[in-house]
Amino acid sequence: MNTIIYIGILLCLADGNYFSAAKESFRMGLFFDENQQTIPINWNIIRDNIDETVELVDTEPISVSEETLFEATVAACDFIADEERIMGAFGPSGHISSKTLESVFDYLRVPYFITNWHPKSDLYPENVFNLYPDADLLSLGMAKIVESFDWKNMAILYETDDGLLKLQEVLKLHEYDKGQAKDNIFIQKLSNDMDNRSILKKIRTSSISRIILDCQEHHIMDILVQAKEVKLLSDFSTSFFLTSMNAHTLDYSTLNTLANITTVRLFDPMQPGFQAIVEEYYPDMDPGTLTVETALFHDALLLIATTINKLKSIGAEISPKFLHCFSPDGFEDDLNLTKIIREIELKETLTGPVSLGEGKRDKFSLQVIEINKPEKPIAIWKSEYPESIHLTRNATEREAELRKRMKNYNFIVTSREGRPYLSKREDSYGNKIYYGYSVDLITEIAKIMNITFEFRLTEDNSYANLVNDLIERRADLGICDFTITPQRREIIDFSMPFMTLGIGILHKETASEEVDNMYAFMRPISWTVWFYIWTLALVISITMFFVARLAPREWENPKPWDDESRELENIWTIKNFLWLTVGSFTTQGCDILPKSTPTRTITGAWWIFSLIIVSSYVANLAAFLTMGKIDVTVDSVEELAAQSKIKYGLLAKGSTESFFANSNDTLYQKMWHNMKNEKSVFEKNNDKGVERVMSTKNGLYAFFMESTGIEYEMERKCELRRIGTLLDSKSYGIGMPLNADYRHSVNSAILQLQETGKLIELKEKWWKKEREGEPCPRDTGDKSESLALSNVGGIFIVLGFGIALAFLIAILEFIWHTRRVSVEEHLSYMEALKCELKFACNIFQKKKRARPVPSNSTSRSSSESMGFHDRLSMAKSMFAKSVSLLHLDSEERNEMRNRNPMRVIAVNGNIVEGSL
Ligand code: GLU
């Protein structure tokens, strides 16, 4: 071996160049694997930049692979077995082969350059230099970029385990393993055969619309095409972030997608300096499609050139150095190359300032670009300020770009049928088929956002499917009475509220059938009690009749002026007692009253009884009729919960149901429990609930409904009322897929509609104006109401019945009386009837002749046989009768009597004047 070396040295010395040329020469080692085949090698980058006394000898790249490590080592040993100075070697991209060569060159004290991502940045041997951004910093940079996207959930698809290492800081952002956000992140390794349709389909049907794709650049298009096949690229809301530093080199135009695809780049090809370098050294290449390896290789060559120049500047000689792999003592870094390289700070590079103080690249910047507008980065992250990111576009620019995208897009609006939000016309097509509040609202929003839209009804008309449409991105907007709930906010986004509301209780404003009845005035006292009262009145009257007959004080002289009269009379017939009991029961009193103690005692007791009954009746009647009181009525949710007669229910599978199901309040928990046990109380939609409230007799069903709906129904169905206060406070919003790019535009459109009063106008239109018939008159909260005929009509009937009965009795009495007159006057019945009727109809006739005394002869003969006193007493009696027939009251009678007791007398039934 030594002999061979000596021969070599001699040959070198014999070479004329060695002596004649002043130039020192060196070589560079290139150990490239198949991934680096495309890197254009242009040694002029060194030659043009080094001291002219130094010459670079061309070398061809040596192919290495991960599988043939031994061959790589042999190739390296073969390469160095030449005394020409080796100033450095470039390693392969594969970690294992690179590690092998790394140890060889470290042993030889030859600078070893890497231009690829390597995981463990802090363990580089002294002679190893990696120009690729430091792994830890790069991971941090990626995390900051993803953070700036403000994604609430994401899927991470990675090709190799190294890819996941690169994203370790991104994973920390979502703390996916802490449980609370476990559904927000989906991590999946790409399949080996690169058919990832099933994975992409899974993402398509999940709520995730943000995808981080970490794979080699030559797999990117395949995966995106597959994504397009499963319709993951067909909507506006999907976003892809491609972590490959070479993703910018691909042509995405064939994808023809509105999805947002962003990637990251290590340099800015728009920089004039960059373009000048590319033009000079890579004239066949487009600066925009330069790979990161090419750029880093370029910068590494510049670093070598600068190192040479540094060496020359300090007078070092780049002398040949004989190296071999098997020296037992190792080699020395005679030129102090490691130190010099570490001190260099390169400025005029393609990938920004290069300084490898610790062998790793800790100064670099990342440019975030959108693939459809790669010229201008949307954000820049710099490793010097790792905690911040610079967004290059202001809000207006971002909005303008979004508008441009939105202009070419037809928004799909998912909705459900339900008044007044959305109804269907039979005779139209397209969007015109639908009308309602939701249509008007989105029309106004579309005008502001300058977008077009198309309505699609969700399956089953259910709220749950509306959410699914947005999760699976079958729709871009969800508009209806769509309540913003915490559960929904985890899986979809909501715009700012366009209406506020709360849960209320819908009930029928009803008096019971009992009150809504003509005889309702009887109801304060039960039929049995009424029966007892009137039976008692009859019994009391009969009892008093007998008592009065026993009581001496009730027997009175019927002729009080006749002191000698021996006759006593009892005026208390059953009829009179009935009059007394009824009169006192109705608090009207009676013109005759009992005088004896026992009858007075009974009468007093009856009065007390009547007083209590009548007062109770009056009190009850007021409450019963005016307040519409029924056996069960409720005025609050507490009262509703406390009773069991009125059933209550709600719309199944809506936000009201989840309010009760998730409530911690014991009252609502109890109600929820009751409702669950009575499954039949749930309704499929609000209309059915309202219908049930209306049709259930006596208001025995109440329906929990959102106040906006209650308001709408109360405007149209006057019997409906809302019980108590609202149970909660919430809002309706427009649903959107999570992180939808246009959510800010929708928000500002709603804000604008709010400020211009359009939202109120729309509500007024659909709640109050778009209606048939007159608005319902509503009381002002004062619950007392005037009584309707339907409540008290029975009283009129009772009165009418009383009058009719009175007429009947009067007619019967008249007929009876006429019969007596016809007998007494010896007239035919018809003559008497005619005469009496004539008299009755003559309303100006105020006096009536008294009935004739039974017989003239008898009276005369008896008067003849009478003494003076007898005659005087008879005259007095006749006078009294006449006065009573003339209906003179006692005062008039006395006055007449006092004036001339003998002047007015009746003789033979005729009234005559004269003195006796
Ligand atoms: N607005 C409700 C929702 O979005 C449905 C109605 C209700 O639950 O009362 O689920």
Side-chain angles (χ1 to χ4, degrees):
M1 183 74 171
N2 282 350
T3 331
I4 299 168
I5 296 169
Y6 285 128
I7 294 167
I9 293 169
L10 282 174
L11 279 174
C12 278
L13 290 172
D15 189 344
N17 283 341
Y18 184 78
F19 298 102
S20 60
K23 285 197 174 178
E24 298 157 12
S25 66
F26 68 93
R27 289 189 304 157
M28 295 297 300
L30 294 178
F31 298 88
F32 280 3
D33 56 25
E34 59 174 1
N35 293 336
Q36 294 159 303
Q37 300 298 324
T38 51
I39 299 175
I41 300 153
N42 189 342
W43 295 120
N44 286 343
I45 297 160
I46 295 181
R47 287 192 186 114
D48 292 353
N49 289 290
I50 53 169
D51 192 296
E52 52 203 20
T53 60
V54 186
E55 188 184 34
L56 169 70
V57 179
D58 275 4
T59 40
E60 285 301 314
I62 299 161
S63 268
V64 291
S65 78
E66 293 286 90
E67 288 82 37
T68 55
L69 295 179
F70 179 69
E71 280 85 346
T73 318
V74 172
C77 291
D78 283 351
F79 176 73
I80 56 161
D82 195 338
E83 76 201 57
E84 195 145 40
R85 175 64 73 157
I86 296 169
M87 290 297 285
F90 288 90
S93 64
H95 300 167
I96 303 168
S97 50
S98 181
K99 273 277 165 213
T100 314
L101 293 175
E102 195 178 291
S103 54
V104 172
F105 286 100
D106 188 46
Y107 169 76
L108 298 169
R109 294 282 184 266
V110 171
Y112 179 77
F113 296 96
I114 316 170
T115 53
N116 308 94
W117 181 84
H118 277 249
K120 279 290 164 202
S121 50
D122 47 357
L123 292 179
Y124 289 133
E126 211 185 328
N127 292 288
V128 179
F129 300 94
N130 191 354
L131 275 92
Y132 199 88
D134 170 60
D136 289 346
L137 280 171
L138 185 63
S139 179
L140 190 63
M142 290 291 186
K144 286 291 159 196
I145 291 167
V146 173
E147 197 177 40
S148 77
F149 294 154
D150 193 22
W151 290 353
K152 287 182 191 155
N153 63 18
M154 67 178 88
I156 297 179
L157 305 181
Y158 62 98
E159 188 178 353
T160 61
D161 294 343
D162 284 349
L164 209 51
L165 268 180
K166 264 189 224 170
L167 297 171
Q168 53 182 305
E169 291 295 328
V170 176
L171 295 178
K172 281 185 203 162
L173 280 181
H174 277 255
E175 299 187 351
Y176 67 101
D177 54 351
K178 282 202 177 161
Q180 76 270 31
K182 61 181 182 307
D183 295 332
N184 288 358
I185 199 152
F186 170 76
I187 304 169
Q188 177 71 48
K189 191 169 183 171
L190 293 164
S191 74
N192 288 336
D193 61 0
M194 280 298 139
D195 183 358
N196 292 292
R197 285 179 187 82
S198 58
I199 298 170
L200 294 165
K201 217 176 213 162
K202 201 166 159 190
I203 296 172
R204 171 85 176 90
T205 52
S206 74
S207 63
I208 296 171
S209 57
R210 313 299 180 186
I211 301 146
I212 297 179
L213 180 61
D214 187 273
C215 65
Q216 296 177 60
E217 70 265 25
H218 52 272
H219 287 146
I220 290 176
M221 278 312 275
D222 286 350
I223 294 169
L224 290 181
V225 168
Q226 288 167 21
K228 191 168 183 180
E229 278 168 28
V230 299
K231 299 204 168 61
L232 196 53
L233 285 188
S234 53
D235 67 87
F236 203 85
S237 317
T238 311
S239 289
F240 271 90
F241 177 49
L242 313 174
T243 57
S244 165
M245 291 281 194
N246 283 331
H248 65 277
T249 60
L250 303 172
D251 177 13
Y252 298 90
S253 59
T254 51
L255 286 175
N256 195 15
T257 177
L258 276 171
N260 190 9
I261 303 177
T262 9
T263 187
V264 69
R265 218 165 44 182
L266 200 57
F267 45 79
D268 184 359
M270 292 298 126
Q271 292 284 317
F274 186 96
Q275 293 190 346
I277 294 172
V278 174
E279 210 173 296
E280 187 175 351
Y281 295 107
Y282 313 98
D284 304 334
M285 296 186 85
D286 172 6
T289 57
L290 204 74
T291 64
V292 70
E293 286 82 12
T294 306
L296 289 173
F297 184 65
H298 172 93
D299 290 350
L301 295 182
L302 270 185
L303 185 67
I304 308 283
T306 313
T307 312
I308 307 273
N309 292 343
K310 270 238 164 175
L311 281 173
K312 292 313 294 173
S313 68
I314 56 171
E317 193 181 323
I318 301 170
S319 54
K321 187 178 179 187
F322 180 74
L323 300 169
H324 67 94
C325 293
F326 311 106
S327 162
D329 310 324
F331 296 90
E332 271 196 14
D333 183 7
D334 55 341
L335 291 177
N336 252 340
L337 281 176
T338 304
K339 188 167 171 278
I340 290 171
I341 294 172
R342 282 173 185 245
E343 282 169 4
I344 289 172
E345 248 194 65
L346 273 186
K347 291 260 172 0
E348 312 274 297
T349 59
L350 287 178
T351 62
V354 175
S355 64
L356 305 172
E358 290 172 43
K360 59 186 181 183
R361 176 92 181 258
D362 49 15
K363 265 196 199 145
F364 63 97
S365 63
L366 298 174
Q367 311 217 338
V368 186
I369 53 159
E370 284 176 344
I371 51 118
N372 53 3
K373 209 177 173 220
E375 317 80 68
K376 193 168 180 239
I378 56 168
I380 297 170
W381 178 85
K382 289 191 165 149
S383 59
E384 286 111 308
Y385 313 102
E387 292 307 320
S388 59
I389 186 159
H390 168 62
L391 302 177
T392 57
R393 292 179 304 182
N394 60 24
T396 331
E397 283 170 330
R398 280 202 298 273
E399 184 70 22
E401 262 163 46
L402 183 69
R403 275 172 190 273
K404 230 157 96 189
R405 270 174 75 208
M406 289 193 301
K407 225 175 159 182
N408 305 320
Y409 188 70
N410 192 31
F411 279 76
I412 305 296
V413 182
T414 181
S415 191
R416 60 181 294 283
E417 269 187 89
R419 287 169 308 124
Y421 302 96
L422 194 82
S423 307
K424 230 173 168 180
R425 281 191 193 99
E426 290 309 319
D427 52 349
S428 303
Y429 56 89
N431 276 341
K432 285 197 184 133
I433 196 171
Y434 301 110
Y435 64 97
Y437 180 90
S438 301
V439 181
D440 284 5
L441 180 65
I442 184 63
T443 309
E444 292 298 331
I445 291 173
K447 268 190 228 161
I448 296 169
M449 284 173 65
N450 196 17
I451 55 165
T452 56
F453 64 89
E454 184 187 319
F455 263 98
R456 284 204 194 143
L457 287 188
T458 191
E459 216 183 302
D460 288 355
N461 215 30
S462 72
Y463 293 90
N465 273 329
L466 216 71
V467 176
N468 287 340
D469 285 346
L470 295 171
I471 289 177
E472 295 176 19
R473 295 180 297 291
R474 286 191 290 268
D476 305 294
L477 298 166
I479 308 181
C480 64
D481 48 339
F482 204 14
T483 312
I484 304 173
T485 65
Q487 296 87 354
R488 287 176 182 166
R489 286 192 76 147
E490 279 184 14
I491 42 179
I492 56 170
D493 263 336
F494 277 100
S495 69
M496 64 173 293
F498 60 82
M499 219 184 263
T500 47
L501 59 132
I503 298 173
I505 308 166
L506 183 74
H507 196 224
K508 194 155 91 172
E509 194 169 328
T510 174
S512 75
E513 282 192 345
E514 294 168 47
V515 174
D516 215 7
N517 175 322
M518 289 220 296
Y519 298 97
F521 66 92
M522 301 290 282
R523 297 301 296 150
I525 294 176
S526 75
W527 293 112
T528 329
V529 176
W530 278 125
F531 174 77
Y532 287 143
I533 290 171
W534 294 118
T535 313
L536 194 62
L538 189 66
V539 170
I540 292 272
S541 303
I542 294 169
T543 312
M544 286 210 287
F545 168 71
F546 286 111
V547 171
R549 289 194 72 79
L550 297 175
R553 287 220 51 193
E554 298 298 351
W555 294 93
E556 285 186 319
N557 179 7
K559 302 168 191 165
W561 61 89
D562 183 2
D563 298 335
E564 285 159 35
S565 172
R566 313 291 296 152
E567 235 179 351
L568 289 176
E569 194 184 45
N570 192 331
I571 58 163
W572 290 108
T573 58
I574 290 182
K575 218 164 77 179
N576 280 350
F577 271 124
L578 272 173
W579 182 238
L580 175 69
T581 45
V582 172
S584 46
F585 187 77
T586 54
T587 67
Q588 297 308 305
C590 183
D591 51 354
I592 49 170
L593 290 169
K595 286 186 182 142
S596 73
T597 309
T599 46
R600 279 183 173 177
T601 310
I602 299 175
T603 309
W606 175 251
W607 282 351
I608 291 168
F609 170 83
S610 304
L611 179 76
I612 306 290
I613 293 284
V614 169
S615 318
S616 314
Y617 171 81
V618 171
N620 258 7
L621 186 71
F624 188 76
L625 294 181
T626 59
M627 309 292 271
K629 269 220 188 282
I630 52 173
D631 302 3
V632 272
T633 187
V634 287
D635 283 322
S636 66
V637 66
E638 290 81 10
E639 283 179 30
L640 188 65
Q643 56 79 54
S644 61
K645 211 165 174 189
I646 301 178
K647 299 267 172 280
Y648 44 86
L650 45 80
L651 176 101
K653 299 200 174 79
S655 58
T656 305
E657 184 185 287
S658 36
F659 167 81
F660 279 96
N662 302 322
S663 176
N664 291 328
D665 190 304
T666 42
L667 180 75
Y668 301 147
Q669 275 174 356
K670 178 184 151 195
M671 294 183 106
W672 173 237
H673 190 71
N674 286 349
M675 286 190 269
K676 264 201 314 194
N677 288 347
E678 291 233 17
K679 291 222 166 49
S680 61
V681 294
F682 292 99
E683 290 299 338
K684 246 183 120 180
N685 55 46
N686 280 337
D687 283 353
K688 290 224 160 79
V690 174
E691 215 175 284
R692 186 158 170 187
V693 171
M694 293 286 292
S695 59
T696 308
K697 279 193 175 172
N698 290 344
L700 290 180
Y701 181 75
F703 188 63
F704 285 106
M705 193 170 159
E706 285 167 333
S707 54
T708 40
I710 295 180
E711 228 175 279
Y712 178 81
E713 296 297 343
M714 278 172 58
E715 281 288 330
R716 281 147 188 87
K717 299 187 176 93
C718 304
E719 308 91 304
L720 293 176
R721 66 170 181 143
R722 201 188 84 198
I723 295 178
T725 52
L726 298 182
L727 273 57
D728 66 348
S729 170
K730 49 196 174 188
S731 324
Y732 292 150
I734 296 180
M736 288 169 275
L738 220 47
N739 288 311
D741 292 337
Y742 44 84
R743 62 190 190 277
H744 301 298
S745 310
V746 175
N747 281 346
S748 53
I750 291 180
L751 202 65
Q752 210 168 313
L753 292 179
Q754 204 171 48
E755 275 168 8
T756 54
K758 194 79 199 169
L759 287 183
I760 296 174
E761 204 180 291
L762 283 183
K763 177 139 191 242
E764 194 73 8
K765 175 183 170 192
W766 288 103
W767 263 249
K768 302 219 159 115
K769 292 187 187 150
E770 295 280 327
R771 52 175 303 140
E772 288 149 17
E774 286 304 303
C776 291
R778 294 275 169 199
D779 57 18
T780 52
D782 177 8
K783 285 169 109 196
S784 65
E785 250 178 51
S786 52
L787 292 176
L789 190 63
S790 60
N791 307 125
V792 289
I795 304 172
F796 291 89
I797 292 179
V798 169
L799 182 63
F801 182 75
I803 292 167
L805 191 69
F807 259 101
L808 187 71
I809 294 168
I811 289 165
L812 289 176
E813 275 189 344
F814 181 76
I815 291 167
W816 183 249
H817 169 75
T818 311
R819 209 197 112 256
R820 274 175 57 189
V821 169
S822 71
V823 172
E824 284 165 8
E825 297 287 337
H826 308 291
L827 296 170
S828 73
Y829 183 77
M830 286 317 285
E831 277 171 344
L833 184 68
K834 213 164 126 188
C835 214
E836 287 295 314
L837 268 178
K838 204 167 154 192
F839 176 79
C841 293
N842 185 355
I843 54 169
F844 300 107
Q845 187 78 43
K846 293 201 177 107
K847 289 177 184 172
K848 192 177 183 184
R849 162 173 80 81
R851 281 206 316 267
V853 286
S855 154
N856 282 347
S857 58
T858 326
S859 72
R860 195 173 290 136
S861 63
S862 59
S863 66
E864 277 168 8
S865 63
M866 280 180 206
F868 174 75
H869 285 289
D870 282 344
R871 284 202 303 272
L872 181 64
S873 117
M874 197 179 118
K876 270 187 188 173
S877 160
M878 285 166 73
F879 169 76
K881 277 189 183 166
S882 309
V883 167
S884 97
L885 279 168
L886 285 168
H887 302 288
L888 298 175
D889 65 16
S890 55
E891 264 178 41
E892 283 170 316
R893 258 184 269 160
N894 289 338
E895 197 192 314
M896 267 173 118
R897 205 182 285 152
N898 295 340
R899 257 195 280 147
N900 191 350
M902 292 295 125
R903 282 191 67 202
V904 182
I905 52 167
V907 179
N908 285 343
N910 295 315
I911 296 168
V912 289
E913 273 194 33
S915 44
L916 291 173

